[in-house]
Amino acid sequence: MSETRPQKPAWVIEKERARREGPAPVWLFGLHAVRDALLNPARAHERLVVTRNAAEKLSEAIAACGVKPEEAAPRRFPAPLDPGSVHQGAALLTRPLDWGGVEETCAPTEADPAPVVLLLDRVTDPHNVGAILRSAEVFGARAVIAPLRHAAPETGALAKSASGALERQPYLRVKNLSETMERLRALGFRLVGLDGAAEAEISEAVAPAGPIGLVLGAEGPGLREKSREGCDLLARIPFAGSFGSLNVSNAAAISLYAARTARR
């Protein structure tokens, strides 16, 4: 009698498939996200589905990238999106972007000797991560870093929330966040974890010159213990009243602004 082999976990199967075939394609949707993806030469444009109205609005981007669109009726939109997706008549099948490694993306340079990066500890909401990418682009962060598992992957919902920032703002997915924190420290980064109960304020924590890594945890649980231990300092965003809880994307924006202001 043959012995039954145990079933592999889904994440193991996906990892093996990705090793063989590369990252699985994703559907991006929404006019801003699709337009910027079409204009990004690093994107593989595998399939573009648009309504006539969307095709007119995206005409310049479609002409620039040379992809042949599939025209669809608004009520019979064939792209396999979630029913609640507000696609605005445009969807693009593409592959996730490859931004390269941590060292090559984040290392200080002569032109930018004190870069700022964001590290997200198990932030799984794609809308939050999309908003964080927008803030990271606005305030000049070198990269947003998140673990491969237990973090928001590159999806249509994330791209739409990022409103085009996904095409320009490096979003690095790493195997081990704690290990990556050590690699950043070896590059000269000082790691500041956001914690509402910390004694130091964020403006003080980011004031010293040099590369800064801002580490933010998920709403509710906050930073995991291992991530807290990996930080050089914990800091809080001060609040005026008795209520001091912020959405993680708002906390990221405030922290990035504090870091940028400290470097002027």
Side-chain angles (χ1 to χ4, degrees):
M1 187 173 181
S2 61
E3 187 176 335
T4 305
R5 292 184 179 181
Q7 177 123 12
K8 294 179 181 178
W11 70 270
V12 173
I13 295 172
E14 173 58 22
K15 187 176 180 181
E16 292 175 347
R17 185 211 60 75
R19 192 181 296 119
R20 293 192 307 270
E21 307 171 12
V26 295
W27 280 97
L28 306 185
F29 57 85
L31 291 173
H32 285 295
V34 170
R35 177 186 289 111
D36 285 14
L38 289 173
L39 294 174
N40 185 353
R43 282 282 186 194
H45 307 134
E46 298 189 6
R47 185 182 172 194
L48 174 63
V49 181
V50 288
T51 61
R52 181 175 298 180
N53 184 43
E56 291 176 359
K57 293 178 179 179
L58 297 172
S59 58
E60 291 185 9
I62 293 172
C65 73
V67 66
K68 186 177 180 180
E70 301 172 31
E71 192 170 301
R75 294 187 179 181
R76 292 189 178 181
F77 201 72
L81 306 175
D82 290 335
S85 300
V86 183
H87 54 72
Q88 298 174 296
L92 175 68
L93 183 64
T94 184
R95 300 269 172 178
L97 291 167
D98 181 4
W99 290 100
V102 169
E103 283 78 9
E104 62 186 290
T105 306
C106 303
T109 63
E110 187 175 343
D112 184 16
V116 177
V117 301
L118 279 173
L119 297 102
L120 307 182
D121 185 14
R122 298 200 175 196
V123 180
T124 57
D125 187 330
H127 301 95
N128 275 333
V129 175
I132 288 170
L133 288 169
R134 291 178 71 177
S135 295
E137 181 182 18
V138 168
F139 293 114
R142 185 72 70 82
V144 176
I145 303 171
L148 276 170
R149 299 177 62 194
H150 308 297
E154 185 175 321
T155 61
L158 186 151
K160 192 169 190 302
S161 296
S163 193
L166 182 62
E167 307 304 317
R168 299 175 294 273
Q169 177 63 49
Y171 182 42
L172 307 184
R173 308 289 303 287
V174 296
K175 291 181 180 179
N176 187 299
L177 194 65
S178 297
E179 185 179 281
T180 299
M181 291 169 71
E182 291 303 318
R183 290 163 63 187
L184 287 170
R185 186 176 282 109
L187 292 173
F189 280 81
R190 192 161 49 87
L191 304 175
V192 178
L194 272 289
D195 185 334
E199 291 186 11
E201 293 190 4
I202 187 64
S203 57
E204 304 165 357
V206 298
I212 287 286
L214 300 168
V215 191
L216 292 91
E219 291 180 57
L223 293 173
R224 290 176 300 151
E225 190 60 34
K226 195 167 185 180
S227 298
R228 289 169 60 91
E229 292 172 356
C231 293
D232 298 299
L233 178 68
L234 297 177
R236 61 183 171 84
I237 295 172
F239 51 95
S242 58
F243 182 75
S245 177
L246 280 173
N247 173 282
V248 66
S249 63
N250 292 333
I254 292 169
S255 303
L256 285 166
Y257 176 75
R260 181 181 177 181
T261 303
R263 278 154 176 69
R264 285 180 176 173

